[in-house]
mmCIF file of all heavy atoms in Angstrom:
data_model
loop_
_atom_site.group_PDB
_atom_site.id
_atom_site.type_symbol
_atom_site.label_atom_id
_atom_site.label_comp_id
_atom_site.label_asym_id
_atom_site.label_seq_id
_atom_site.Cartn_x
_atom_site.Cartn_y
_atom_site.Cartn_z
ATOM 1 N N LEU A 271 124.665 94.100 119.783
ATOM 2 C CA LEU A 271 125.443 94.563 120.921
ATOM 3 C C LEU A 271 126.318 95.737 120.516
ATOM 4 O O LEU A 271 126.993 95.712 119.497
ATOM 5 C CB LEU A 271 126.309 93.433 121.472
ATOM 6 C CG LEU A 271 125.534 92.220 122.025
ATOM 7 C CD1 LEU A 271 126.508 91.160 122.511
ATOM 8 C CD2 LEU A 271 124.599 92.635 123.138
ATOM 9 N N GLY A 272 126.305 96.768 121.318
ATOM 10 C CA GLY A 272 127.114 97.942 121.023
ATOM 11 C C GLY A 272 126.436 98.929 120.104
ATOM 12 O O GLY A 272 126.981 99.999 119.834
ATOM 13 N N SER A 273 125.239 98.613 119.615
ATOM 14 C CA SER A 273 124.503 99.512 118.737
ATOM 15 C C SER A 273 123.380 100.169 119.524
ATOM 16 O O SER A 273 122.419 99.492 119.927
ATOM 17 C CB SER A 273 123.934 98.743 117.538
ATOM 18 O OG SER A 273 123.068 99.554 116.787
ATOM 19 N N ILE A 274 123.486 101.476 119.753
ATOM 20 C CA ILE A 274 122.448 102.181 120.502
ATOM 21 C C ILE A 274 121.143 102.182 119.716
ATOM 22 O O ILE A 274 120.071 101.913 120.261
ATOM 23 C CB ILE A 274 122.893 103.617 120.818
ATOM 24 C CG1 ILE A 274 124.238 103.616 121.563
ATOM 25 C CG2 ILE A 274 121.830 104.326 121.634
ATOM 26 C CD1 ILE A 274 124.231 102.862 122.849
ATOM 27 N N TRP A 275 121.220 102.482 118.412
ATOM 28 C CA TRP A 275 120.016 102.467 117.585
ATOM 29 C C TRP A 275 119.467 101.051 117.441
ATOM 30 O O TRP A 275 118.261 100.862 117.251
ATOM 31 C CB TRP A 275 120.314 103.066 116.214
ATOM 32 C CG TRP A 275 120.410 104.557 116.232
ATOM 33 C CD1 TRP A 275 121.538 105.316 116.160
ATOM 34 C CD2 TRP A 275 119.325 105.486 116.342
ATOM 35 N NE1 TRP A 275 121.234 106.651 116.221
ATOM 36 C CE2 TRP A 275 119.879 106.793 116.330
ATOM 37 C CE3 TRP A 275 117.940 105.349 116.457
ATOM 38 C CZ2 TRP A 275 119.105 107.934 116.418
ATOM 39 C CZ3 TRP A 275 117.164 106.495 116.544
ATOM 40 C CH2 TRP A 275 117.740 107.762 116.528
ATOM 41 N N GLY A 276 120.344 100.066 117.520
ATOM 42 C CA GLY A 276 119.873 98.689 117.433
ATOM 43 C C GLY A 276 118.919 98.332 118.555
ATOM 44 O O GLY A 276 118.058 97.462 118.394
ATOM 45 N N ALA A 277 119.051 99.017 119.708
ATOM 46 C CA ALA A 277 118.138 98.766 120.819
ATOM 47 C C ALA A 277 116.695 99.054 120.420
ATOM 48 O O ALA A 277 115.764 98.425 120.924
ATOM 49 C CB ALA A 277 118.539 99.611 122.029
ATOM 50 N N MET A 278 116.516 100.022 119.511
ATOM 51 C CA MET A 278 115.164 100.347 119.052
ATOM 52 C C MET A 278 114.572 99.198 118.255
ATOM 53 O O MET A 278 113.426 98.809 118.450
ATOM 54 C CB MET A 278 115.216 101.615 118.201
ATOM 55 C CG MET A 278 113.846 102.108 117.710
ATOM 56 S SD MET A 278 112.813 102.699 119.061
ATOM 57 C CE MET A 278 111.558 101.430 119.149
ATOM 58 N N TRP A 279 115.359 98.626 117.333
ATOM 59 C CA TRP A 279 114.850 97.512 116.528
ATOM 60 C C TRP A 279 114.609 96.280 117.390
ATOM 61 O O TRP A 279 113.633 95.538 117.177
ATOM 62 C CB TRP A 279 115.835 97.195 115.403
ATOM 63 C CG TRP A 279 116.208 98.394 114.602
ATOM 64 C CD1 TRP A 279 117.459 98.922 114.419
ATOM 65 C CD2 TRP A 279 115.314 99.258 113.874
ATOM 66 N NE1 TRP A 279 117.408 100.055 113.640
ATOM 67 C CE2 TRP A 279 116.099 100.277 113.289
ATOM 68 C CE3 TRP A 279 113.931 99.265 113.670
ATOM 69 C CZ2 TRP A 279 115.550 101.285 112.505
ATOM 70 C CZ3 TRP A 279 113.380 100.279 112.888
ATOM 71 C CH2 TRP A 279 114.185 101.264 112.323
ATOM 72 N N GLY A 280 115.481 96.038 118.349
ATOM 73 C CA GLY A 280 115.262 94.924 119.257
ATOM 74 C C GLY A 280 114.015 95.109 120.101
ATOM 75 O O GLY A 280 113.269 94.158 120.369
ATOM 76 N N THR A 281 113.764 96.352 120.523
ATOM 77 C CA THR A 281 112.565 96.639 121.312
ATOM 78 C C THR A 281 111.308 96.405 120.489
ATOM 79 O O THR A 281 110.329 95.843 120.979
ATOM 80 C CB THR A 281 112.600 98.098 121.810
ATOM 81 O OG1 THR A 281 113.776 98.299 122.594
ATOM 82 C CG2 THR A 281 111.377 98.394 122.660
ATOM 83 N N LEU A 282 111.330 96.857 119.246
ATOM 84 C CA LEU A 282 110.171 96.610 118.375
ATOM 85 C C LEU A 282 109.903 95.114 118.237
ATOM 86 O O LEU A 282 108.748 94.678 118.211
ATOM 87 C CB LEU A 282 110.420 97.230 116.998
ATOM 88 C CG LEU A 282 110.351 98.756 116.924
ATOM 89 C CD1 LEU A 282 110.793 99.235 115.543
ATOM 90 C CD2 LEU A 282 108.948 99.259 117.234
ATOM 91 N N ALA A 283 110.980 94.330 118.178
ATOM 92 C CA ALA A 283 110.818 92.880 118.037
ATOM 93 C C ALA A 283 110.151 92.271 119.260
ATOM 94 O O ALA A 283 109.232 91.445 119.132
ATOM 95 C CB ALA A 283 112.172 92.222 117.788
ATOM 96 N N ILE A 284 110.586 92.678 120.461
ATOM 97 C CA ILE A 284 110.057 92.047 121.672
ATOM 98 C C ILE A 284 108.685 92.584 122.074
ATOM 99 O O ILE A 284 108.021 91.995 122.936
ATOM 100 C CB ILE A 284 111.031 92.198 122.858
ATOM 101 C CG1 ILE A 284 111.191 93.664 123.269
ATOM 102 C CG2 ILE A 284 112.368 91.578 122.532
ATOM 103 C CD1 ILE A 284 112.017 93.865 124.512
ATOM 104 N N VAL A 285 108.241 93.694 121.457
ATOM 105 C CA VAL A 285 106.916 94.236 121.770
ATOM 106 C C VAL A 285 105.904 93.889 120.691
ATOM 107 O O VAL A 285 104.812 93.387 120.989
ATOM 108 C CB VAL A 285 106.988 95.770 121.960
ATOM 109 C CG1 VAL A 285 105.578 96.348 122.139
ATOM 110 C CG2 VAL A 285 107.844 96.127 123.158
ATOM 111 N N ILE A 286 106.250 94.143 119.447
ATOM 112 C CA ILE A 286 105.280 93.996 118.361
ATOM 113 C C ILE A 286 105.140 92.534 117.931
ATOM 114 O O ILE A 286 104.031 92.063 117.652
ATOM 115 C CB ILE A 286 105.674 94.881 117.176
ATOM 116 C CG1 ILE A 286 105.591 96.356 117.591
ATOM 117 C CG2 ILE A 286 104.770 94.617 115.972
ATOM 118 C CD1 ILE A 286 105.997 97.323 116.524
ATOM 119 N N LEU A 287 106.256 91.792 117.875
ATOM 120 C CA LEU A 287 106.186 90.400 117.432
ATOM 121 C C LEU A 287 105.256 89.552 118.302
ATOM 122 O O LEU A 287 104.441 88.790 117.763
ATOM 123 C CB LEU A 287 107.592 89.798 117.382
ATOM 124 C CG LEU A 287 107.708 88.396 116.784
ATOM 125 C CD1 LEU A 287 107.148 88.376 115.364
ATOM 126 C CD2 LEU A 287 109.165 87.929 116.785
ATOM 127 N N PRO A 288 105.319 89.634 119.643
ATOM 128 C CA PRO A 288 104.353 88.856 120.445
ATOM 129 C C PRO A 288 102.905 89.238 120.175
ATOM 130 O O PRO A 288 102.017 88.373 120.208
ATOM 131 C CB PRO A 288 104.756 89.195 121.891
ATOM 132 C CG PRO A 288 106.188 89.571 121.810
ATOM 133 C CD PRO A 288 106.332 90.271 120.506
ATOM 134 N N GLU A 289 102.653 90.533 119.909
ATOM 135 C CA GLU A 289 101.282 90.948 119.610
ATOM 136 C C GLU A 289 100.789 90.304 118.317
ATOM 137 O O GLU A 289 99.622 89.918 118.214
ATOM 138 C CB GLU A 289 101.217 92.475 119.496
ATOM 139 C CG GLU A 289 101.524 93.221 120.786
ATOM 140 C CD GLU A 289 100.512 92.938 121.873
ATOM 141 O OE1 GLU A 289 99.318 92.759 121.536
ATOM 142 O OE2 GLU A 289 100.903 92.888 123.055
ATOM 143 N N LEU A 290 101.673 90.186 117.344
ATOM 144 C CA LEU A 290 101.289 89.544 116.092
ATOM 145 C C LEU A 290 101.104 88.040 116.270
ATOM 146 O O LEU A 290 100.183 87.433 115.701
ATOM 147 C CB LEU A 290 102.351 89.817 115.020
ATOM 148 C CG LEU A 290 102.543 91.291 114.611
ATOM 149 C CD1 LEU A 290 103.700 91.409 113.633
ATOM 150 C CD2 LEU A 290 101.264 91.851 114.020
ATOM 151 N N LEU A 291 101.981 87.433 117.071
ATOM 152 C CA LEU A 291 101.903 85.983 117.270
ATOM 153 C C LEU A 291 100.665 85.588 118.068
ATOM 154 O O LEU A 291 100.142 84.477 117.906
ATOM 155 C CB LEU A 291 103.164 85.490 117.976
ATOM 156 C CG LEU A 291 104.462 85.565 117.153
ATOM 157 C CD1 LEU A 291 105.653 85.199 118.016
ATOM 158 C CD2 LEU A 291 104.374 84.647 115.946
ATOM 159 N N LYS A 292 100.182 86.483 118.942
ATOM 160 C CA LYS A 292 98.981 86.178 119.723
ATOM 161 C C LYS A 292 97.775 85.944 118.822
ATOM 162 O O LYS A 292 96.854 85.216 119.184
ATOM 163 C CB LYS A 292 98.690 87.318 120.697
ATOM 164 C CG LYS A 292 99.598 87.350 121.910
ATOM 165 C CD LYS A 292 99.246 88.521 122.805
ATOM 166 C CE LYS A 292 100.202 88.607 123.990
ATOM 167 N NZ LYS A 292 99.908 89.785 124.852
ATOM 168 N N GLN A 293 97.787 86.593 117.665
ATOM 169 C CA GLN A 293 96.663 86.425 116.753
ATOM 170 C C GLN A 293 96.662 85.034 116.111
ATOM 171 O O GLN A 293 95.640 84.584 115.606
ATOM 172 C CB GLN A 293 96.722 87.499 115.669
ATOM 173 C CG GLN A 293 96.652 88.912 116.217
ATOM 174 C CD GLN A 293 96.772 89.971 115.136
ATOM 175 O OE1 GLN A 293 96.694 89.665 113.949
ATOM 176 N NE2 GLN A 293 96.939 91.225 115.537
ATOM 177 N N VAL A 294 97.814 84.382 116.114
ATOM 178 C CA VAL A 294 97.917 83.026 115.565
ATOM 179 C C VAL A 294 97.818 82.004 116.700
ATOM 180 O O VAL A 294 96.901 81.192 116.746
ATOM 181 C CB VAL A 294 99.234 82.850 114.788
ATOM 182 C CG1 VAL A 294 99.327 81.444 114.202
ATOM 183 C CG2 VAL A 294 99.352 83.901 113.691
ATOM 184 N N ASN A 295 98.803 82.058 117.596
ATOM 185 C CA ASN A 295 98.838 81.148 118.747
ATOM 186 C C ASN A 295 99.792 81.736 119.775
ATOM 187 O O ASN A 295 100.974 81.939 119.495
ATOM 188 C CB ASN A 295 99.306 79.751 118.321
ATOM 189 C CG ASN A 295 99.145 78.733 119.433
ATOM 190 O OD1 ASN A 295 99.165 79.069 120.616
ATOM 191 N ND2 ASN A 295 98.987 77.468 119.061
ATOM 192 N N GLU A 296 99.287 82.023 120.954
ATOM 193 C CA GLU A 296 100.093 82.674 121.979
ATOM 194 C C GLU A 296 101.292 81.829 122.397
ATOM 195 O O GLU A 296 102.324 82.347 122.809
ATOM 196 C CB GLU A 296 99.231 82.994 123.209
ATOM 197 C CG GLU A 296 99.908 83.896 124.217
ATOM 198 C CD GLU A 296 98.956 84.379 125.292
ATOM 199 O OE1 GLU A 296 97.751 84.056 125.194
ATOM 200 O OE2 GLU A 296 99.402 85.063 126.217
ATOM 201 N N ASP A 297 101.172 80.508 122.283
ATOM 202 C CA ASP A 297 102.266 79.623 122.677
ATOM 203 C C ASP A 297 103.455 79.697 121.726
ATOM 204 O O ASP A 297 104.538 79.190 122.040
ATOM 205 C CB ASP A 297 101.765 78.173 122.762
ATOM 206 C CG ASP A 297 100.729 77.993 123.855
ATOM 207 O OD1 ASP A 297 100.771 78.775 124.827
ATOM 208 O OD2 ASP A 297 99.885 77.087 123.734
ATOM 209 N N LEU A 298 103.268 80.313 120.562
ATOM 210 C CA LEU A 298 104.357 80.413 119.598
ATOM 211 C C LEU A 298 105.408 81.447 119.981
ATOM 212 O O LEU A 298 106.519 81.431 119.446
ATOM 213 C CB LEU A 298 103.801 80.779 118.213
ATOM 214 C CG LEU A 298 103.032 79.694 117.451
ATOM 215 C CD1 LEU A 298 102.463 80.281 116.169
ATOM 216 C CD2 LEU A 298 103.947 78.522 117.139
ATOM 217 N N THR A 299 105.080 82.341 120.915
ATOM 218 C CA THR A 299 105.965 83.468 121.212
ATOM 219 C C THR A 299 107.345 83.012 121.656
ATOM 220 O O THR A 299 108.368 83.414 121.079
ATOM 221 C CB THR A 299 105.334 84.366 122.298
ATOM 222 O OG1 THR A 299 104.051 84.820 121.842
ATOM 223 C CG2 THR A 299 106.225 85.570 122.571
ATOM 224 N N ASN A 300 107.401 82.175 122.692
ATOM 225 C CA ASN A 300 108.697 81.724 123.205
ATOM 226 C C ASN A 300 109.467 80.920 122.160
ATOM 227 O O ASN A 300 110.695 81.042 122.046
ATOM 228 C CB ASN A 300 108.504 80.889 124.469
ATOM 229 C CG ASN A 300 108.006 81.718 125.638
ATOM 230 O OD1 ASN A 300 108.235 82.929 125.682
ATOM 231 N ND2 ASN A 300 107.326 81.086 126.577
#
Side-chain angles (χ1 to χ4, degrees):
L271 297 179
S273 172
I274 305 301
W275 284 105
M278 183 68 250
W279 308 120
T281 301
L282 287 173
I284 65 174
V285 174
I286 295 178
L287 187 57
E289 295 296 325
L290 296 175
L291 292 174
K292 284 179 183 178
Q293 300 178 12
V294 181
N295 189 333
E296 191 170 356
D297 295 333
L298 288 175
T299 302
N300 292 335

